Amino acid sequence: MANRLASSTSPYLLQHADNPVDWQEWSPEAFAEARERDVPVLLSVGYAACHWCHVMAHESFEDEATAAYLNEHFVSVKVDREERPDVDAVYMAVTQAMSGHGGWPMTCFLTPGGEPFYAGTYYPPHPARGMPSFRQVLEAVARAWREQRDEVTGSAAAVVRQLEFTPLPGSAVDDDVLAGAVVSLLGHFDLANGGFGGAPKFPPSTVLEFLLRHHERTGSVEALSMVSATCDAMASGGLHDQLAGGFARYAVDAAWVVPHFEKMLYDNALLLRVYAHLARRTAEHRHARVARGTAEFLLRDLGTPEGGFAASLDADTDGVEGATYVWTPAQLVEVLGLADGVRAAELHGVTDEGTFEHGASTLRLLGDPDPDLAARLLEARGRRPQPARDDKVVTAWNGLAITALAEAGAALGEPRWVEAAVRAAELVLRVHVVDGRLRRTSRHGVAGRAAGVLEDHGCLAEGLLALHQATGERRWLTAACELLDTALARFAGEEPGVHHDTADDAETLVRRPSDPSDNATPSGASSLASALVTASALGGPTGYREAAGAAVARAGLLAAREPRFAGHWLSAAEALALGPVQVAVVGGSAELVATARAGVHGGGVVVAGEPGSAPLLEDRPLVAGGPAAYVCRGFVCDRPVTTAAELAEALTTRAR
C-alpha cells in the first residue's frame, strides 16, 4: 500500500511512495502527530539522483521489519532537499556539527517541536566500517527518548541555541583582497591535475568564473592558467561525457578519471558559462567545443516538454552506478569492429584492467576527438538501459541555465540556445509566480507548494538580465527588477547588506537559514548581489548598486579567508571593481554587437537596439546617422565609437 507520499510532486519522494515506512511530507500535521503519539521524528533528507540515498532505501526503507519498527516508534518524514533547501540547510548544519561531516542521505532525529538531538548520514543495515547499523541507531534513539527524556530535550535545546545566526562584520573587498584570493587559490591548486585540493574533486565553477574575470581586469597570467588547466583537465577526463556532452557531479579521484555519475542541471549550467567565457577570451576551439556539447546536453537530455530544464539524471541505472556509461575493450570492438575498437580504446583510455569497476573503464579523451567514433558509440549506448531523470523544474537552477544559454548563445552565435532560454524564462514566470510570489519548483507545468528562497530570486533575476542583453527586450529587465525588489524587501536581515535565505513570511523553522558560502551553486546572497550589480549597470533603480556593495562587503571576510567558498562573491566584486563595463550599441550594427560581446569584460553588460528602446540606450543617439557604440565604466564614459576596431581597442583597457 502506498504511504502518504503518493500525492507528492517530488520525484524523490515518489521513489519512496511504495515503501512500507509510513512516510509523510514535511508538514505541521506530521509534527502534531508526533506530539500526540509522544514519539520523536525521523527526518530523512535526500534527492532523486543521490546514489547512497537509493542504497539506504533498498537496504532499510524497503525492509518490512525496519519499517515496522519505524512506524511504531517514530513519525517518519521525507524531504527532497532540492524542494526544501531551507529545511536541508538547517539540519545539515546540525549534522555537520554532530558527526563531523555532512552529505546525503541525511538522517536526523527531532523532538515533536522540530529541535534536533541526534544526526548522521547513511547508516548500513548491519554494523560495518565502524558504523552502527540503522536498526541499532533507531533502538538507541527510541530508548533514550523513553528513558532519558530530560537529557534528550536538554541536548536539543542546546543545539538550537548553537544554531543562532551571527552575520559577518563588514569588510571591503578591494584590490588587495581580490589579488590575495588569487594567491590563496594558487596555494590550493593541483598543478598536476588542475582543480583545487585532492579527491574527491568537484568542478570549481564559481571560482573559475572569478579567476577569469580577474584575468580580464588585471591581465593576471596565473589566474588564466588555473582556469585553462582546470577546464582542459575536466574536459578530457571521465567527469566529462565524451559522447553526449555534459558533466557529472564530481570525480572520486584527483585526476578527474572516475566520476560520480549523476548529472546535475546546476553543474552543467555553471560550467557552460565558464567554458563559453573562456572560449571568448582564448579563442581556443576546444573550449568552444565543450561549451557547445554542454549546451546541447542541456537542451536534449534535460529539457522538459513545458520548456524548462529538469533537475538531474541519476548516478545509477537499475541500481548499478555508471552502468550506462562505462566500457570494456571487448564492448568497443563489438560495436566498432576490431580496428576502430582498438583505436577507440587508445583514444578514450579503455584498458583491460579498467579504470572503474569490474574491468570497465570510463571514457576520457587522450587525443583529438573523433566525431564518427563518438556518434557510433553514442548510438550503441542509447540502446542500453538509461538512468532515471528527476524532471522537476527548480527555479534557481533554471535561472542558472537561462543565464548560461543566453550568454553562451549570444557569445557563440547560437540563437537556438537563446530561444531555449526564453522558453524556460516564460515557463518559470508563468507557472512559478503564484499570487505575486515565487515558488521553488514545478513539475509537468504545475507549481509545487514550497516557497521560493533567496537563491531562486537571485539566480532567476540573473537569468532574466542575461536575456535582456541577448534579446534587447525590456520585459526581461522589468521582471528581473520586480524579483530583486521582492528579495530586498522580504529577505533583508537586521543589518545593512545581510540577507536571509528565507522570506520574512516563510515557514518558521528552528533557525532562519542564512548561509553566505558559495558551494556547488552560488549562495542566495551572492546571487542577489551579482544580480543587483548587473541590474544597476543595465539602468535599474539607483539603489541597487549601493545594496550590492553593502552585500559584497558583508562577505569580505569570507572572500579573504576562504576564497574557494566565495567564488560568486568575488565575481561580483570584480564587476564592481571595473565599473562594471557598460556597452550600448545603437543602430543595429551586427559587427559592433559581435565585437562588444567578444570583448566585454566579465560582469560587464551589452545591450543593442534602437536609441531609447532600453534604459541603457536612452540618451544615446546615432552618430552621423549611423550605428555607434558607447562604452562606460562605472560613472565614466568614453566618446562613442563607430567602428569595430575602435570598439575593440576601447574594451581592451584594463583597470590600473
Side-chain angles (χ1 to χ4, degrees), residues 614-632:
L616 201 62
L617 304 177
E618 292 174 358
D619 300 320
R620 276 156 179 174
L622 302 175
V623 173
Y630 295 77
V631 178
C632 301

Side-chain angles (χ1 to χ4, degrees), residues 100-483:
H101 64 276
W104 301 275
M106 178 167 60
T107 307
C108 297
F109 296 91
L110 319 178
T111 70
E115 299 91 351
F117 60 89
Y118 189 75
T121 53
Y122 163 80
Y123 291 105
H126 308 287
R129 300 185 297 278
M131 289 187 291
S133 72
F134 186 49
R135 181 63 178 263
Q136 287 176 323
V137 172
L138 294 179
E139 291 174 350
V141 169
R143 184 167 55 252
W145 183 257
R146 291 193 308 269
E147 300 173 3
Q148 299 169 282
R149 181 71 61 85
D150 290 343
E151 293 180 31
V152 168
T153 56
S155 172
V159 169
V160 171
R161 286 194 296 272
Q162 292 174 1
L163 291 175
E164 292 180 2
F165 169 67
T166 302
L168 293 171
S171 180
V173 185
D174 54 19
D175 281 352
D176 289 341
V177 171
L178 294 169
V182 175
V183 173
S184 176
L185 291 167
L186 275 169
H188 293 282
F189 186 67
D190 184 341
L191 289 171
N193 303 299
F196 302 93
K201 189 170 280 184
F202 293 80
S205 306
T206 60
V207 168
L208 296 177
E209 182 71 21
F210 154 63
L211 289 170
L212 192 53
R213 291 189 181 189
H214 187 76
H215 162 75
E216 291 175 325
R217 183 174 67 88
T218 68
S220 168
V221 174
E222 294 82 3
L224 181 61
S225 67
M226 283 190 278
V227 178
S228 296
T230 301
C231 285
D232 288 344
M234 290 192 299
S236 62
L239 185 80
H240 182 215
D241 189 335
Q242 304 297 339
L243 304 183
F247 289 84
R249 172 78 275 267
Y250 64 89
V252 301
D253 61 294
W256 309 103
V257 175
V258 178
H260 187 51
F261 290 90
E262 66 198 46
K263 288 183 176 180
M264 310 301 297
L265 172 59
Y266 53 77
D267 284 318
N268 285 281
L270 290 167
L271 287 170
L272 168 58
R273 195 182 192 202
V274 168
Y275 279 94
H277 290 172
L278 182 59
R280 176 180 68 186
R281 203 48 63 221
T282 65
E284 292 284 356
H285 174 72
R286 66 185 186 276
H287 299 143
R289 177 179 58 81
V290 175
R292 293 182 188 280
T294 305
E296 294 301 329
F297 162 74
L298 290 178
L299 270 60
R300 181 188 62 247
D301 293 346
L302 294 185
T304 70
E306 297 78 23
F309 294 96
S312 62
L313 299 180
D314 274 10
D316 48 76
T317 304
D318 297 336
V320 181
E321 186 176 5
T324 300
Y325 301 104
V326 297
W327 298 81
T328 64
Q331 289 171 330
L332 294 178
V333 170
E334 181 182 359
V335 171
L336 300 173
L338 181 59
D340 284 348
V342 170
R343 187 158 59 90
E346 293 174 350
L347 177 62
H348 292 299
V350 177
T351 65
D352 291 331
E353 298 79 14
T355 58
F356 182 53
E357 298 173 351
H358 312 298
S361 295
T362 60
L363 298 189
R364 293 171 286 158
L365 186 63
L366 307 182
D368 293 332
D370 187 320
D372 176 65
L373 290 183
R376 291 158 65 190
L377 289 174
L378 182 60
E379 181 183 8
R381 196 178 83 180
R383 294 192 291 270
R384 295 177 173 180
Q386 300 297 306
R389 187 173 86 154
D390 181 340
D391 59 359
K392 70 175 177 291
V393 174
V394 179
T395 299
W397 304 354
N398 273 256
L400 295 175
I402 292 164
T403 302
L405 288 166
E407 291 183 353
L412 299 178
E414 291 286 354
R416 284 192 307 112
W417 303 351
V418 179
E419 293 165 4
V422 168
R423 290 193 297 272
E426 289 175 339
L427 169 72
V428 173
L429 293 177
R430 183 177 68 252
V431 174
H432 290 217
V433 178
V434 179
D435 297 329
R437 299 296 294 279
L438 196 58
R439 297 283 178 91
R440 171 70 174 175
T441 64
S442 70
R443 187 165 185 250
H444 300 161
V446 178
R449 293 186 290 271
V453 295
L454 184 59
E455 70 165 355
D456 294 310
H457 291 73
C459 291
L460 180 57
E462 285 203 88
L464 299 177
L465 295 170
L467 270 184
H468 172 62
Q469 296 177 69
T471 65
E473 295 182 27
R474 191 186 288 258
R475 60 172 171 151
W476 304 120
L477 177 61
T478 300
C481 290
E482 290 173 355
L483 288 170

